[in-house]
Amino acid sequence: NKTYKIGDQPEYSKLKYRFLELIGGRYPLLVNGVESGSTDGATAPRTSIGLINEQRAIILVADGRQNHSVGYSLPNLAKALKA
């Protein structure tokens, strides 16, 4: 239905049977455009979704398993999404 909802565990528990599609994540990288201060400095392949507004999103996928591509750390990923 082209809408999204951001919530926490109690909200998920309340709404879980109404979802048609669901994406989960572990770390918020930006909150209201401000870096959240994630300290995981390990580089790895990453997939991120950034919500620009209620109708636009950006998806960033970074390879990280090649000699020429080491991926992103979470702080660097936050900077890339903010750019």
Side-chain angles (χ1 to χ4, degrees):
N1 63 9
K2 298 185 181 183
T3 62
Y4 62 84
K5 179 76 175 161
I6 299 173
D8 54 14
Q9 183 65 37
E11 191 159 19
Y12 165 76
S13 295
K14 181 175 69 174
L15 298 173
K16 66 183 174 182
Y17 296 110
R18 296 176 54 199
F19 290 116
L20 298 176
E21 298 170 335
L22 188 65
I23 298 172
R26 187 177 296 175
Y27 306 108
L29 301 174
L30 298 171
V31 178
N32 295 322
V34 177
E35 294 176 33
S36 66
S38 175
T39 59
D40 183 353
T43 56
R46 306 284 184 183
T47 300
S48 299
I49 299 174
L51 303 174
I52 296 169
N53 58 41
E54 290 187 15
Q55 296 181 352
R56 295 185 66 201
I58 184 169
I59 299 172
L60 187 149
V61 179
D63 185 17
R65 300 198 193 282
Q66 311 297 321
N67 290 338
H68 62 277
S69 176
V70 296
Y72 274 101
S73 67
L74 293 181
N76 286 341
L77 185 58
K79 287 177 180 40
L81 288 168
K82 190 172 180 177

